[in-house]
Amino acid sequence: MASPSRVETIANDTKEASDVGGVAGVRLKQLVERIERLEEEKASIGTDIKDVYGEAKSTGFDVKTIRKLIRLRKMDEQKRNEEDELLDLYRAAIGL
Amino acid sequence: MASPSRVETIANDTKEASDVGGVAGVRLKQLVERIERLEEEKASIGTDIKDVYGEAKSTGFDVKTIRKLIRLRKMDEQKRNEEDELLDLYRAAIGL
Amino acid sequence: MASPSRVETIANDTKEASDVGGVAGVRLKQLVERIERLEEEKASIGTDIKDVYGEAKSTGFDVKTIRKLIRLRKMDEQKRNEEDELLDLYRAAIGL
Amino acid sequence: MASPSRVETIANDTKEASDVGGVAGVRLKQLVERIERLEEEKASIGTDIKDVYGEAKSTGFDVKTIRKLIRLRKMDEQKRNEEDELLDLYRAAIGL
DNA sequence: ACCGTGGTTAGCTTTC
DNA sequence: GAAAGCTAACCACGGT
C-alpha cells in the first residue's frame, strides 16, 4: 500500500496533475524523504534527552526539578533576547 | 533518596552554581548542560523541517497535504510495529 | 484561602473588572460548576472502564493485550478518517 | 469496522486457544465493545467540556485562569478528603 | 512497594 | 482572532 507508485500517485493528484511519473512526483518524494529523515533525527535526539534524564534519576536527582530548572533557564534566555531586541530597536531608532 | 544532601543540592542549583561541599552540584550542572545542548540540536532540526516545508510550498506543493501524507505514513509504520508487538504478546500469552 | 470572595475577585480580574459581585461572578460560577460536573461524569466513566478491565482480568483475559487490541482498532478508525480527509484534500487541490 | 471473525481470531490466540469461535471469543468481543462504548462516552464528555470552555471564552473570560481555578478547587477538595480520612483514623484510634 | 510505560491533558505555535 | 496540530508535562496503571 505504501509502494513507490503510491507516492507518485499523490504527486499526480496535487498541483502537477498532468505529470504522471514525471518530475513533480520525484520532487515530492525527495521532499517527503528529507522530512522523514529529519524527523527521525529529531526523535533520536528526543530519546537521547530522555536517556540523560534517566541517568540523572539514577544518580539520585529529581527529574521533575531538573525540568523546572531548565524551563527557568530558557525563560531567562528568552527574556534576555527580548531585551536585546528592544535595545536593537532603540539603536535603530536613533540611527545606530 | 530524599537525603539531607539532596535538599542542599537543590538549594545550590537555584541561587548558587557553586557546590557547597559536594560533587553533586557539578554533576547536575553537567547534566543540565547536556540536556540544553541536545534541546538546541532538536530545535535546530525543527527549523530544518520547517525550511523543507517552505521549500515544498515555493515549489508549488500543498503543505497541508504533505503533512497529512507524512502522518499517514507514520501511522502505517506504528501500526505495523504494534501488530508485531501484539503478536509477541499473544505468543507469550499462550506460552511461546 | 478559597473563600467565596476569592472567586469573585478572580472574575473581577478578568474582562468584567468593574463588576464586583455582579453578573460576571455569577456567570463564572455557573461555568465552573458545569465544568466540574462534567469532569465528575468523565471520571465516573473512567472508573467504569477500569471495572470492565478488572472483570476481563478475572475472566482470565490478559489486560495488556486487550488494551493493545483496542488501541489498534482505534488506529484503524483514525487512519480511515484521515484517508478520507486526504482524499477531500486532493479533490480540493485539483478543483473538485 | 473490523469483521467479526477478526475479533474471534484474536480471542483464539489468547489463553483459550482451543476455543475457536466459542464462548471465550464471544466474551472478549463483548468486553471490547463495552470498553469502546464507554470510551466514546468519555470522549463525548471531553468535547462537552471543551465547548463550555469555548463558551466561557466567548463570554470574555480567560480560559487559562478558569483552568487554574478548577485545579485549585480540586486540590482543595483532595486536601479536605485527606483531612477527613485522617480525622476518621483518629476517631477509630480512640474508639469512635 | 517501586519502576517503567502508556495515556491524558495543557500549553504553544502556526495556520487560515 | 479563532482553530488546529504539535509538543511537553503530568498522572495513573500494570508489571516486577
Side-chain angles (χ1 to χ4, degrees):
Chain A
M1 205 167 252
S3 60
S5 64
R6 167 74 183 288
V7 172
E8 288 171 15
T9 301
I10 286 159
N12 295 334
D13 288 347
T14 56
K15 297 282 172 65
E16 328 288 334
S18 61
D19 183 79
V20 180
V23 63
V26 173
R27 189 83 187 87
L28 176 58
K29 196 179 173 186
Q30 288 170 342
L31 290 166
V32 166
E33 279 165 2
R34 272 171 70 196
I35 292 168
E36 285 177 341
R37 177 80 180 83
L38 288 168
E39 294 208 324
E40 248 175 78
E41 285 180 44
K42 205 173 140 207
S44 164
I45 293 175
T47 304
D48 292 347
I49 292 172
K50 258 187 122 172
D51 289 347
V52 179
Y53 277 115
E55 194 182 322
K57 183 174 196 171
S58 62
T59 313
F61 290 107
D62 181 61
V63 170
K64 196 173 172 182
T65 302
I66 295 183
R67 283 189 192 278
K68 277 212 175 93
L69 204 64
I70 286 173
R71 214 183 311 149
L72 285 173
R73 283 165 65 105
K74 188 185 268 177
M75 282 180 61
D76 285 344
E77 198 199 328
Q78 282 173 5
K79 193 162 172 290
R80 220 172 304 122
N81 288 151
E82 282 173 29
E83 284 167 1
D84 287 350
E85 282 175 43
L86 191 61
L87 180 59
D88 287 347
L89 204 61
Y90 283 179
R91 291 171 62 180
I94 61 171
L96 236 278
Chain B
M1 279 263 153
S3 59
S5 64
R6 163 72 181 290
V7 172
E8 287 172 18
T9 301
I10 288 163
N12 293 336
D13 294 335
T14 50
K15 299 287 174 64
E16 348 233 339
S18 63
D19 176 57
V20 181
V23 65
V26 173
R27 187 85 188 84
L28 176 59
K29 197 178 174 189
Q30 289 170 341
L31 290 165
V32 166
E33 279 165 1
R34 273 171 68 197
I35 292 168
E36 285 177 340
R37 178 77 181 86
L38 287 168
E39 294 208 323
E40 247 174 80
E41 286 181 43
K42 204 173 141 208
S44 165
I45 293 175
T47 304
D48 292 347
I49 292 172
K50 262 187 110 171
D51 290 346
V52 178
Y53 277 113
E55 193 184 322
K57 184 172 197 171
S58 62
T59 312
F61 290 106
D62 180 61
V63 171
K64 196 172 173 182
T65 301
I66 296 183
R67 282 188 191 279
K68 216 161 202 58
L69 205 63
I70 285 173
R71 212 180 314 146
L72 237 27
R73 283 166 64 103
K74 188 186 266 177
M75 279 185 68
D76 284 343
E77 198 198 327
Q78 282 176 7
K79 193 163 176 298
R80 222 172 302 123
N81 290 151
E82 294 221 12
E83 280 169 359
D84 287 350
E85 282 177 46
L86 189 60
L87 180 60
D88 287 347
L89 222 51
Y90 282 179
R91 290 172 63 181
I94 62 170
L96 240 260
Chain C
M1 201 175 252
S3 61
S5 63
R6 167 73 182 290
V7 172
E8 288 171 15
T9 300
I10 287 162
N12 294 336
D13 286 348
T14 58
K15 298 281 172 66
E16 329 287 337
S18 61
D19 183 78
V20 180
V23 63
V26 172
R27 189 83 188 86
L28 176 58
K29 197 178 173 188
Q30 289 170 341
L31 290 166
V32 166
E33 279 165 2
R34 273 171 70 196
I35 291 167
E36 286 177 340
R37 178 79 181 84
L38 288 168
E39 294 209 322
E40 248 175 77
E41 286 181 44
K42 207 173 140 209
S44 164
I45 292 175
T47 305
D48 291 348
I49 292 172
K50 257 185 112 174
D51 289 347
V52 179
Y53 276 113
E55 194 184 321
K57 183 173 197 172
S58 62
T59 313
F61 290 106
D62 180 60
V63 170
K64 195 171 175 182
T65 302
I66 296 182
R67 283 189 191 279
K68 213 160 203 66
L69 205 62
I70 285 174
R71 211 182 314 148
L72 237 26
R73 283 166 65 105
K74 188 185 268 177
M75 279 185 68
D76 284 343
E77 199 198 326
Q78 282 176 7
K79 192 163 176 295
R80 221 172 302 125
N81 291 149
E82 294 221 14
E83 280 169 359
D84 288 349
E85 282 175 48
L86 189 60
L87 180 61
D88 289 346
L89 221 51
Y90 283 179
R91 291 172 62 180
I94 62 171
L96 240 261
Chain D
M1 235 188 226
S3 61
S5 63
R6 168 73 186 288
V7 172
E8 287 171 16
T9 301
I10 286 161
N12 294 335
D13 287 346
T14 59
K15 296 279 172 69
E16 329 287 336
S18 60
D19 183 78
V20 180
V23 62
V26 173
R27 190 82 189 87
L28 177 58
K29 195 180 173 187
Q30 288 170 341
L31 290 166
V32 166
E33 279 166 1
R34 274 171 68 196
I35 291 168
E36 285 178 340
R37 178 78 181 84
L38 288 168
E39 294 208 324
E40 249 174 77
E41 287 180 43
K42 204 173 141 209
S44 165
I45 292 175
T47 304
D48 292 347
I49 291 172
K50 258 187 123 171
D51 289 346
V52 178
Y53 277 113
E55 193 184 322
K57 183 173 197 171
S58 62
T59 313
F61 290 105
D62 179 62
V63 170
K64 196 171 172 182
T65 303
I66 296 184
R67 284 188 193 278
K68 275 212 176 93
L69 203 65
I70 286 173
R71 215 181 310 150
L72 284 174
R73 283 167 64 104
K74 187 184 267 178
M75 282 180 61
D76 284 345
E77 199 199 328
Q78 283 174 5
K79 193 162 172 292
R80 219 173 304 121
N81 289 150
E82 281 174 29
E83 283 168 359
D84 286 351
E85 281 176 44
L86 191 62
L87 180 59
D88 287 347
L89 205 62
Y90 284 181
R91 289 171 63 181
I94 61 171
L96 242 267

